[in-house]
Amino acid sequence: GENVEQHPSTLSVQEGDSAVIKCTYSDSASNYFPWYKQELGKRPQLIIDIRSNVGEKKDQRIAVTLNKTAKHFSLHITETQPEDSAVYFCAASAPRGPGNTPLVFGKGTRLSVIA
Amino acid sequence: AAGVIQSPRHLIKEKRETATLKCYPIPRHDTVYWYQQGPGQDPQFLISFYEKMQSDKGSIPDRFSAQQFSDYHSELNMSSLELGDSALYFCASSVRRHPNTEAFFGQGTRLTVV
């Protein structure tokens, strides 16, 4: 089955700097890669996703890149703000039947933005 | 907009008791997923249902069972509870017939086993 590795496990940046979180996946059939932000005790919330037919996607200060050959994808947050502090999870799923397999999550990255 | 509703939000049970967690997916979503998240850990997939039939099975213990009803709500039944079952349990729903659609998570049920 799918295995998703995520690095780093913790990341501290100064406010205004950029943050990069990287994930690798094992199943070359995977075609959907969402990123979730989870604040303490709350639900994971989708912040951006990318599908295998594109290499990069951007939404304001957040961007995700995908390298299918190397089987890795990355989250980039620019101009970080204290409210970006949270745990970020990458995930992957593969096509199966009329939809996709359940999401497999990485171990998470605890991002701390220092004011 | 309607979101995924989970109940109860908090639950305290003693060892060896049973618990039932409920999930009401977003209307017209055909797939429900259950995840378990221990403290400081990533969500672990337990089980999913597509159109009221079990679809995938993950790391769900034999002591747990789940089902999806005709109105698409789902229940996770947990028996012979152990201290290690203490976790956040999330339900998520999506529309499988449209591939690559996002999974929306409920607010979770925090289960504490004492």
Side-chain angles (χ1 to χ4, degrees):
Chain A
E2 176 68 275
N3 182 50
V4 178
E5 300 282 341
Q6 182 172 348
H7 299 280
S9 57
T10 60
L11 180 60
S12 291
V13 299
Q14 292 289 329
E15 182 178 1
D17 287 351
S18 295
V20 180
I21 303 171
K22 299 181 179 182
C23 288
T24 60
Y25 60 99
S26 62
D27 186 353
S28 56
S30 288
N31 66 346
Y32 177 58
F33 308 93
W35 286 88
Y36 285 84
K37 176 183 180 182
Q38 187 177 30
E39 297 176 356
L40 189 62
K42 296 189 177 180
R43 76 181 96 185
Q45 292 199 298
L46 181 76
I47 56 171
I48 195 167
D49 57 15
I50 191 166
R51 293 165 174 80
S52 58
N53 58 342
V54 298
E56 185 173 357
K57 183 176 178 180
K58 190 173 182 180
D59 182 4
Q60 298 182 334
R61 296 187 296 110
I62 296 173
V64 58
T65 59
L66 171 65
N67 183 327
K68 289 175 59 180
T69 303
K71 291 190 287 186
H72 68 68
F73 55 113
S74 301
L75 177 71
H76 305 252
I77 305 174
T78 58
E79 300 172 21
T80 53
Q81 301 167 3
E83 51 266 38
D84 293 330
S85 297
V87 178
Y88 291 80
F89 291 98
C90 63
S93 73
R96 197 265 318 276
N100 270 47
T101 57
L103 292 173
V104 175
F105 286 85
K107 296 295 183 187
T109 297
R110 182 173 299 280
L111 173 65
S112 299
V113 179
I114 303 163
Chain B
V4 178
I5 305 296
Q6 289 187 247
S7 67
R9 293 290 310 279
H10 303 272
L11 191 58
I12 299 175
K13 290 285 186 179
E14 295 187 353
K15 283 193 305 183
R16 293 180 290 277
E17 284 192 318
T18 60
T20 297
L21 279 53
K22 296 185 178 183
C23 169
Y24 296 84
I26 292 172
R28 290 180 292 281
H29 279 200
D30 55 23
T31 304
V32 167
Y33 308 87
W34 284 97
Y35 284 87
Q36 177 193 58
Q37 187 176 30
Q41 297 180 0
D42 56 302
Q44 291 290 312
F45 170 68
L46 294 178
I47 195 167
S48 65
F49 293 86
Y50 170 61
E51 287 291 349
K52 294 163 279 184
M53 298 287 290
Q54 183 182 307
S55 175
D56 288 280
K57 203 168 184 181
S59 53
I60 185 169
D62 292 340
R63 300 177 289 108
F64 294 6
S65 65
Q67 57 183 323
Q68 188 176 29
F69 295 86
S70 58
D71 64 351
Y72 288 88
H73 94 272
S74 178
E75 294 183 3
L76 178 65
N77 299 293
M78 311 161 72
S79 63
S80 303
L81 287 169
E82 302 173 355
L83 296 178
D85 296 328
S86 296
L88 262 174
Y89 289 82
F90 287 105
C91 170
S93 73
S94 69
V95 183
R96 182 176 290 193
R97 61 182 176 273
H98 296 297
N100 303 161
T101 53
E102 67 176 282
F104 292 84
F105 282 78
Q107 292 186 311
T109 294
R110 181 174 294 282
L111 172 67
T112 303
V113 182
V114 297

